[in-house]
Amino acid sequence: MANPSPLSEAEQKKAGTPMGGDMGDEHKNFCITITKLFENGEIDITQPESFLNKEVYNTLAPEWKTKTDLAMLNIATLLEHIYGFYKSKQTPDACPQLANMIEQLWEMKQRIESHADVFKF
């Protein structure tokens, strides 16, 4: 690591390519769920408020509304990456990289939903 050898452009591309593999059923089902929500127009990353169960959100204390609002921008970014990765023909439908993105999203979501089930997914 102290004296890394330079990588050729082909080696760099190969290093950045998602590796094949598998994910658990929970991860696969999540991809299917968000794909349906995106394609049915129920959620839209350009309108993060579309992620919310409004009835639940409206009952939140102001502190939790603020926390939810702040988290939604990061959640939108991750949802965009997950959906794009899953739908792309250039990447595998199930792989460790996709599972990792999903787990990051779940962790963010859980911080809010430990208080209230505010998201549609």
Side-chain angles (χ1 to χ4, degrees):
M1 293 198 42
N3 294 321
S5 59
L7 296 175
S8 69
E9 187 174 334
E11 291 171 321
Q12 290 176 33
K13 286 180 182 178
K14 184 179 179 201
T17 302
M19 55 185 140
D22 202 10
M23 306 185 299
D25 289 340
E26 190 176 14
H27 292 83
K28 291 176 187 175
N29 291 336
F30 182 77
C31 287
I32 292 167
T33 297
I34 64 163
T35 297
K36 287 178 184 175
L37 290 171
F38 271 112
E39 292 176 357
N40 292 338
E42 291 181 54
I43 61 173
D44 180 350
I45 58 159
T46 63
Q47 297 176 352
E49 65 277 359
S50 68
F51 307 160
L52 299 172
N53 286 324
K54 289 290 190 176
E55 299 80 30
V56 175
Y57 178 79
N58 291 337
T59 65
L60 292 176
E63 169 191 358
W64 282 101
K65 281 185 180 179
T66 300
K67 288 179 181 186
T68 301
D69 293 345
L70 291 172
M72 283 195 311
L73 294 177
N74 291 326
I75 289 172
T77 300
L78 266 174
L79 277 173
E80 178 179 30
H81 292 313
I82 292 166
Y83 176 72
F85 194 100
Y86 183 70
K87 291 299 287 183
S88 174
K89 299 302 176 210
Q90 312 262 319
T91 58
D93 286 349
C95 67
Q97 292 90 343
L98 182 56
N100 186 39
M101 285 188 274
I102 293 168
E103 287 173 17
Q104 288 176 354
L105 175 67
W106 286 346
E107 188 176 313
M108 275 190 255
K109 208 174 129 249
Q110 181 57 35
R111 286 186 204 130
I112 301 298
E113 291 194 329
S114 64
H115 184 74
D117 188 20
V118 72
F119 296 106
K120 290 180 180 178
F121 44 87

